Amino acid sequence: MDLYTEGDPIADTKAPEGPIETRWDRRRFEAKLVNPANRRKMTVIVVGTGLAGGSAAATLAEQGYRVKSYCYQDSPRRAHSIAAQGGINAAKNYRNDGDSVHRLFYDTVKGGDFRSRESNVHRLAEVSVNIIDQCVAQGVPFAREYGGLLDTRSFGGAQVQRTFYARGQTGQQLLLGAYQALERQIGLGNVEMNARHEMLELIVVDGKARGIVVRDMVTGEITTEFADAVVLASGGYGNVFYLSTNAKGCNVTATWRAHRKGAYFANPCYTQIHPTCIPVSGDHQSKLTLMSESLRNDGRVWVPKAKGDTRSPKDIPEDERDYYLERIYPSFGNLVPRDIASRAAKNVCDEGRGVGPTGLGVYLDFADAINRLGRKAIEAKYGNLFEMYERITGEDPYEVPMRIYPAVHYTMGGLWVDYDLQSTIPGLFVVGEANFSDHGANRLGASALMQGLADGYFVLPNTIANYLAAGPFDKVDASHPAAVQARADVEDRIQRLLAVNGDRTVDSFHRELGQIMWEHCGMERSATGLRKAIDEIRALRDQFWQRVRVPGNGEGLNQSLEKAGRVADFFELAELMCIDALHREESCGGHFRAEHQTPDGEAERDDERFAYVAAWEFTATGEPSVLHKEDLKFEYVHPTQRSYK
Ligand SMILES: Cc1cc2nc3c(=O)[nH]c(=O)nc-3n(C[C@H](O)[C@H](O)[C@H](O)COP(=O)(O)OP(=O)(O)OC[C@H]3O[C@@H](n4cnc5c(N)ncnc54)[C@H](O)[C@@H]3O)c2cc1C
């Protein structure tokens, strides 16, 4: 059987035409509005309380809609966004260093290896400046310079300093801003907050998203919830690799269930591998730790020039060190984009010049910066990151260079959405990392927080009105056949997972799946490896359904059951990721195909054949997915071989 079939092309029918800097204004003007009295009559479900979902729920409630918000954590403020460290981009040009909306737009399209939509990226760059104002007004404590002005630093893929930050806790501070806005609306009775509730199915009625099935993770109760529109802000799926920098709970279930109900999944193979993570130290680990990209502002990346040099770093003299990023990419140096820095690290390790016990590591050295700026200055900027590193590795990074290695960090793929952030299911909107987003094949650092908050505070609250203007829609309740069926499907799946009663833990399957994915669909992919991975995933998935052991029952808190459902979905997603990676016979951004590289080892795109978004349609279990292509047009930033040299 074929791995996939090809269907009709797909177009973004909401994308406005005209000069790029006028498109967002025009779309907002042309989109329909909902008057305040009607907003009160409509309900919106928002799944997720991270930066995207938290900001969306707070803003929609502020506008007057009734909002029902869901998250699986014990509090909305524990969403994974809280982990974000380094910063958030905005084209404020406070530094007067040549930044502008156009430059942020340009850097992002180029950084994404020309696989994103120009209109969306321009809107993102425009809105970026509003985000900073919004967050400052909320009291987010961004770092400030001595004179009181907001401070900025550099992130990869840019030659300007446009990244706003709050020490190494930017996500936490931004999330507290969104959370207090959300709490205010909860207090006013405009948002019904449902923490510890997991969405396990989407309810589609007459072709429209009208609700979700949720499980109360404490009591096990399963209920159906209804609304005029549903927003998914459920984050990324990097944990399909088992080891990643994501929080352990991050999963694909919300978007995957929607995919099975008709929402196309776009570019699933685009995974970001972050170059600066603490290396894997053994097979006991269940999670990896990021060392923020901001550290590359002051840290210099190097390995010994000689292979197999096991001397301690302080015994390796300057002229025997290879500062390979500065050598290969003199214009951007240590601040090349993540895909490029990750591959360069892999290359030097493959050459046998890696450091540390496994040889899979490179140094990130602060000695020069400490000499130049003093330890206090470094401590003020990165203190919490240094402390985290020391606690995990037992080494003091003020004294010895950090050891770092690439790890899975972010997923650029996600549910396909149009310019209005609406999926292929009318009434289902997708924001933040959960959508296929504006980052193309590679996300530049500090752009996820920007996109999540742009979507939640500024884009969705405008575009969703165009859809809701036709509402309120006919009432639906738990007795509707679509709701009865969706609920029965959830109950049946839970019973099937419990009934296997096998001899292997969920984690053991997840770990093995992650190993297959990392080996064949990780930093480097090849046709042979991907075909092998597809076979291995299918075989392992069959075993999962025969041998998984989920202790306990569904009537209360059962973390094994929660994990089992998520891993079952990861299995299906993993297969689609490999098929997507296999069909994309080019290298671009985070998707590096061994067969497609330039003579000096850089990613070799094929714009003739692959300048499109791959939007996958689910057909039926066991049947091949259908590929729909959305052609990408470049009118302002013309695709060239990306160069950071
Ligand atoms: C360690 C780390 C550091 C990072 N640092 C930066 C940085 O400095 N700058 C930057 O721009 N980006 C950074 N990122 C990326 C960025 O943090 C994320 O992309 C972003 O926070 C995602 O936000 P989100 O709102 O889309 O999703 P999340 O914050 O992941 O929130 C997802 C929400 O959905 C809920 N949810 C999910 N599934 C379900 C379900 N089935 N039912 C109910 N609820 C569900 C969860 O409970 C949660 O509330 C970092 C990422 C990591 C891992």
Side-chain angles (χ1 to χ4, degrees):
M1 188 168 61
D2 288 336
L3 288 174
Y4 69 94
T5 60
E6 196 166 328
D8 294 336
I10 181 171
D12 176 4
T13 54
K14 307 282 180 30
E17 300 281 323
I20 198 155
E21 54 288 343
T22 64
R23 289 180 190 169
W24 176 225
D25 274 349
R26 251 225 328 286
R27 177 68 195 133
R28 273 191 297 172
F29 181 71
E30 285 168 4
K32 293 179 198 127
L33 298 175
V34 180
N35 91 49
N38 284 347
R39 289 181 214 156
R40 285 195 289 276
K41 297 179 197 151
M42 282 187 269
T43 306
V44 181
I45 283 176
V46 181
V47 178
T49 57
L51 286 176
S55 58
T59 311
L60 291 170
E62 182 99 33
Q63 288 180 331
Y65 297 103
R66 287 166 45 206
V67 175
K68 288 171 154 183
S69 171
Y70 297 85
C71 70
Y72 57 71
Q73 287 90 355
D74 51 2
S75 155
R77 59 157 291 206
R78 292 178 67 95
H80 162 65
S81 290
I82 205 160
Q85 301 173 348
I88 175 166
N89 287 332
K92 283 283 201 188
N93 194 27
Y94 283 170
R95 291 260 168 192
N96 199 14
D97 57 358
D99 203 7
S100 62
V101 165
H102 193 80
R103 190 175 295 281
L104 176 50
F105 158 67
Y106 172 86
D107 286 347
T108 308
V109 173
K110 176 183 168 194
D113 219 353
F114 306 95
R115 289 293 174 264
S116 48
R117 291 183 188 142
E118 283 193 334
S119 297
N120 287 51
V121 178
H122 200 279
R123 172 175 69 188
L124 180 63
E126 286 170 53
V127 167
S128 71
V129 297
N130 305 120
I131 296 172
I132 302 302
D133 297 342
Q134 165 94 359
C135 296
V136 168
Q138 286 174 339
V140 171
F142 283 121
R144 287 178 187 267
E145 293 180 327
Y146 182 72
L149 300 175
L150 293 189
D151 196 11
T152 51
R153 57 191 177 196
S154 299
F155 260 60
Q159 287 172 311
V160 294
Q161 270 182 264
R162 61 161 76 98
T163 306
F164 295 79
Y165 66 100
R167 228 167 157 218
Q169 314 171 335
T170 316
Q172 178 171 350
Q173 299 307 333
L174 291 171
L175 190 60
L176 286 172
Y179 168 73
Q180 52 87 14
L182 179 65
E183 278 295 320
R184 177 165 175 267
Q185 295 302 324
I186 295 171
L188 290 170
N190 301 330
V191 175
E192 174 197 301
M193 184 66 232
N194 300 280
R196 305 291 274 141
H197 280 72
E198 183 163 20
M199 166 193 164
L200 294 177
E201 200 52 87
L202 180 74
I203 300 173
V204 180
V205 175
D206 299 331
K208 292 192 177 103
R210 293 302 310 274
I212 58 176
V213 181
V214 291
R215 177 171 181 271
D216 180 325
M217 295 159 75
V218 179
T219 65
E221 190 190 3
I222 292 168
T223 53
T224 42
E225 308 291 333
F226 302 94
D228 294 279
V230 176
V231 178
L232 297 186
S234 50
Y237 52 83
N239 278 350
V240 65
F241 289 87
Y242 187 71
L243 286 182
S244 89
T245 62
N246 289 8
K248 277 298 283 176
C250 293
N251 68 88
V252 76
T253 289
T255 49
W256 191 256
R257 295 282 116 200
H259 173 57
R260 291 178 61 103
K261 282 279 168 78
Y264 293 2
F265 210 108
N267 299 333
C269 81
Y270 288 169
T271 309
Q272 175 159 88
I273 316 277
H274 197 298
T276 56
C277 304
I278 300 181
V280 176
S281 61
D283 54 15
H284 57 283
Q285 272 176 286
S286 57
K287 181 169 177 357
L288 296 177
T289 307
L290 176 75
M291 287 287 105
S292 166
E293 179 162 307
S294 60
L295 294 169
R296 286 197 273 145
N297 274 265
D298 288 304
R300 297 180 70 195
V301 177
W302 66 275
V303 287
K305 280 188 179 160
K307 284 183 191 174
D309 187 340
T310 52
R311 285 177 293 173
S312 139
K314 67 175 178 358
D315 297 331
I316 303 181
E318 255 326 281
D319 62 349
E320 291 180 42
R321 299 175 176 194
D322 180 11
Y323 294 91
Y324 57 91
L325 290 177
E326 297 170 31
R327 173 174 58 79
I328 309 173
Y329 306 102
S331 333
F332 282 70
N334 293 296
L335 283 168
V336 288
R338 293 174 179 177
D339 54 336
I340 292 185
S342 293
R343 274 200 293 280
K346 178 177 185 300
N347 290 344
V348 294
C349 293
D350 288 352
E351 287 165 16
R353 297 195 289 139
V355 301
T358 60
L360 294 177
V362 301
Y363 290 127
L364 180 63
D365 195 338
F366 294 88
D368 280 357
I370 293 172
N371 284 339
R372 196 175 67 248
L373 305 168
R375 179 178 164 136
K376 272 217 159 102
I378 295 298
E379 218 171 284
K381 279 190 189 169
Y382 314 115
N384 67 314
L385 299 173
F386 275 49
E387 188 188 329
M388 193 156 60
Y389 182 86
E390 185 172 6
R391 283 206 201 165
I392 292 173
T393 63
E395 291 171 6
D396 176 0
Y398 293 102
E399 298 296 330
V400 286
M402 287 183 178
R403 282 177 297 108
I404 50 161
Y405 195 68
V408 170
H409 179 63
Y410 181 90
T411 43
M412 283 77 68
L415 291 185
W416 184 92
V417 287
D418 62 15
Y419 189 74
D420 282 1
L421 303 180
Q422 185 169 219
S423 72
T424 47
I425 301 177
L428 180 70
F429 292 78
V430 192
V431 294
E433 193 174 339
N435 71 26
F436 87 101
S437 88
D438 303 340
H439 310 294
N442 172 59
R443 176 174 72 78
L444 290 184
S447 291
L449 303 185
M450 171 173 72
Q451 183 227 332
L453 290 180
D455 286 1
Y457 281 133
F458 297 104
V459 180
L460 179 86
N462 283 290
T463 58
I464 200 170
N466 188 62
Y467 176 79
L468 290 172
F473 302 107
D474 292 344
K475 227 174 153 23
V476 182
D477 63 25
S479 65
H480 191 285
V484 172
Q485 184 62 51
R487 185 191 164 119
D489 289 346
V490 167
E491 286 167 346
D492 175 56
R493 217 163 103 90
I494 289 175
Q495 286 318 315
R496 274 172 54 216
L497 286 167
L498 290 166
V500 179
N501 202 19
D503 59 356
R504 275 189 68 176
T505 63
V506 179
D507 273 352
S508 80
F509 280 105
H510 192 180
R511 190 189 294 270
E512 198 174 329
L513 173 67
Q515 280 159 352
I516 298 170
M517 291 301 285
W518 180 244
E519 175 79 18
H520 300 298
C521 198
M523 257 197 284
E524 186 174 303
R525 298 129 186 223
S526 70
T528 322
L530 288 164
R531 283 187 193 285
K532 188 161 179 254
I534 293 167
D535 290 343
E536 288 179 0
I537 292 165
R538 287 177 175 174
L540 191 64
R541 186 175 57 215
D542 288 348
Q543 266 204 49
F544 173 86
W545 284 103
Q546 285 161 28
R547 290 185 53 191
V548 73
R549 179 168 170 75
V550 182
N553 58 43
E555 267 90 72
L557 181 68
N558 186 339
Q559 291 189 314
S560 294
L561 179 62
E562 291 161 20
K563 279 198 264 185
R566 296 170 190 171
V567 172
D569 288 335
F570 276 144
F571 270 116
E572 296 183 13
L573 165 77
E575 184 179 330
L576 186 66
M577 287 172 75
C578 292
I579 292 171
D580 187 41
L582 182 63
H583 108 281
R584 192 167 276 280
E585 287 271 3
E586 64 163 352
S587 292
C588 56
H591 169 62
F592 190 75
R593 283 286 298 264
E595 307 91 331
H596 302 285
Q597 45 184 309
T598 62
D600 51 354
E602 301 289 351
E604 190 171 46
R605 290 195 323 268
D606 182 346
D607 293 331
E608 282 287 302
R609 295 168 60 216
F610 290 100
Y612 61 76
V613 175
W616 296 92
E617 179 187 3
F618 178 83
T619 48
T621 306
E623 291 296 315
S625 296
V626 181
L627 169 65
H628 301 272
K629 297 177 181 171
E630 179 200 332
D631 282 333
L632 292 166
K633 283 192 286 204
F634 295 93
E635 299 167 77
Y636 293 86
V637 187
H638 295 291
T640 49
Q641 161 79 34
R642 252 163 107 212
S643 171
Y644 293 96
K645 293 187 170 166

